[in-house]
């Protein structure tokens, strides 16, 4: 029996293959619903029949399950070694902010039983620039970053920073005696800071990059980054403004990306 994900019940090979054809952005919800319904019926395993039965009910009643927004986070809080900042507190604040906006009621008023998952307002939060939560294709993407700063400690030219930087953003500083960071290539991942044995490269400003307007679908585009790094309060304000902008300009066949630009609150 083929099992490529954690489950409450065993799945047959045919059931696994069927659920893997479900679009990735709703796959976990569909899988959980299939298992819950199979368990409620007293099934000892999930077969293709359970998948098909749930799929039909899921498609016909999707509007009942849509919550109006979705926040996706990466695995940073599980101890990811690439983590730049701890986003768990920010994620909780964003959930509270989006819940208070009552987007589900707003969307149901506009769409009724035509409401689908792609109508939801989607936010992704990544604790490092590897961005496993795919913030580049969400309505609002949030990515942790830290600015490398050249300190006063003498550089030994060990080359550790350059070896750690896969962006090629570190120059060895043969002429100046200290490394130089290319701000265009640097993605603010902090790897050079972590490996510097002399603290010639130290931790500078840290915060969150904010990206707006990513989407997939018929006309995909990557989200565009606002300049600079933002603290938690500023990120929450931007998301609040984004939600208000989304609700003010909402049309059934337009995504948030199609509603931009919007006014960014002062930080």
């Amino acid at each position: 029996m083929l099992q490529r994900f954690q489950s409450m019940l065993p799945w047959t090979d045919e059931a696994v293959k069927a659920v893997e054809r479900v679009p990735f952005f709703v796959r976990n919800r569909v899988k959980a619903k299939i298992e819950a319904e199979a368990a409620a019926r007293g099934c000892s395993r999930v077969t293709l029949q359970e998948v098909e039965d749930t799929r039909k009910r899921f498609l016909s009643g999707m509007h009942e399950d849509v919550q109006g927004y979705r926040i996706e986070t990466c695995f940073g809080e599980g101890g990811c070694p690439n983590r730049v900042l701890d986003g768990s507190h920010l994620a909780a604040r964003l959930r509270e902010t989006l819940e208070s906006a009552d987007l589900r009621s707003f969307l149901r008023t506009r769409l009724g039983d035509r409401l689908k998952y792609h109508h939801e307002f989607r936010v992704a939060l990544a604790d490092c620039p590897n961005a496993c939560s795919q913030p580049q294709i969400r309505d609002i993407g949030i990515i942790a970053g830290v600015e490398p700063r050249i300190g006063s400690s003498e550089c030994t030219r060990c080359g550790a920073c350059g070896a750690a930087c896969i962006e090629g953003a570190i120059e060895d500083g043969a002429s100046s005696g200290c490394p130089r960071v290319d701000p265009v290539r640097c993605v603010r991942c902090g790897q050079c800071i972590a490996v510097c044995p002399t603290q010639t490269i130290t931790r500078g400003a840290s915060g969150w990059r904010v990206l707006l307007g990513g989407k997939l679908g018929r006309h995909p585009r990557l989200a565009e980054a606002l300049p600079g790094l933002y603290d938690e309060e500023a990120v929450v304000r931007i998301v609040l403004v984004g939600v208000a902008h989304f609700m003010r300009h909402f049309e059934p066949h337009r995504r948030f990306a199609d509603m931009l630009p919007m006014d960014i609150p002062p930080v």
Side-chain angles (χ1 to χ4, degrees):
M1 194 170 296
L2 186 64
Q3 294 251 197
R4 288 190 284 271
F5 43 72
Q6 292 183 344
S7 309
M8 297 184 298
L9 296 173
W11 287 56
T12 65
D13 293 357
E14 293 80 6
V16 170
K17 291 175 182 176
V19 84
E20 287 184 345
R21 291 196 292 270
V22 174
F24 75 92
F25 61 90
V26 294
R27 189 176 300 148
N28 286 338
R29 275 185 276 187
V30 171
K31 173 184 166 293
K33 196 172 185 67
I34 292 168
E35 287 197 338
E37 291 189 357
R41 292 195 297 271
C43 298
S44 60
R45 62 176 183 168
V46 176
T47 68
L48 182 59
Q49 186 62 54
E50 275 70 53
V51 174
E52 289 300 318
D53 289 346
T54 299
R55 183 183 68 85
K56 292 173 184 176
R57 285 190 291 273
F58 184 80
L59 291 175
S60 63
M62 186 184 299
H63 62 282
E64 298 290 346
D65 290 330
V66 175
Q67 67 181 37
Y69 71 90
R70 184 145 300 271
I71 296 180
E72 295 156 294
T73 59
C74 61
F75 299 108
E77 56 191 284
C80 174
N82 297 314
R83 190 182 205 180
V84 175
L85 294 173
D86 179 357
S88 55
H89 185 262
L90 176 56
R93 289 193 62 188
L94 292 175
R95 287 190 185 93
E96 181 180 339
T97 297
L98 292 170
E99 188 65 31
S100 66
D102 199 9
L103 282 161
R104 184 174 188 269
S105 294
F106 168 78
L107 291 171
R108 291 202 67 176
T109 299
R110 295 297 188 91
L111 296 167
D113 60 8
R114 295 179 295 135
L115 179 58
K116 307 295 184 186
Y117 285 122
H118 64 264
H119 292 123
E120 289 183 319
F121 189 85
R122 304 192 72 176
V123 176
L125 175 63
D127 287 354
C128 83
N130 286 346
C132 298
S133 58
Q134 300 176 312
Q136 297 90 346
I137 56 174
R138 308 304 180 211
D139 295 325
I140 297 183
I142 303 160
I143 305 175
V146 58
E147 299 276 4
R149 184 175 64 87
I150 305 302
S152 57
S153 300
E154 184 177 353
C155 176
T156 61
R157 298 183 189 172
C158 66
C161 58
C165 181
I166 62 175
E167 316 301 328
I170 305 290
E171 298 178 9
D172 64 9
S175 58
S176 62
C178 64
R180 178 182 175 278
V181 180
D182 183 340
V184 176
R185 290 186 176 183
C186 177
V187 296
R188 302 173 180 86
C189 67
Q191 294 299 310
C192 59
I193 301 169
V195 300
C196 180
T198 58
Q199 294 189 319
T200 302
I201 301 179
T202 62
R203 194 177 181 94
S206 62
W208 304 92
R209 295 170 59 208
V210 178
L211 295 75
L212 302 177
K215 66 173 183 174
L216 295 178
R218 296 171 66 173
H219 303 284
R221 58 165 278 180
L222 294 178
E224 296 185 8
L226 300 176
L229 294 172
Y230 297 85
D231 63 19
E232 187 173 298
E233 293 296 329
V235 172
V236 173
R237 288 200 300 272
I238 292 170
V239 171
L240 272 171
V241 170
V243 170
H245 188 84
F246 170 78
M247 296 171 75
R248 187 163 56 249
H249 297 279
F250 178 79
E251 293 178 17
H253 301 295
R254 297 179 75 205
R255 298 289 299 277
F256 182 65
D258 305 316
M259 307 172 194
L260 298 175
M262 72 178 199
D263 293 328
I264 306 300
V267 297

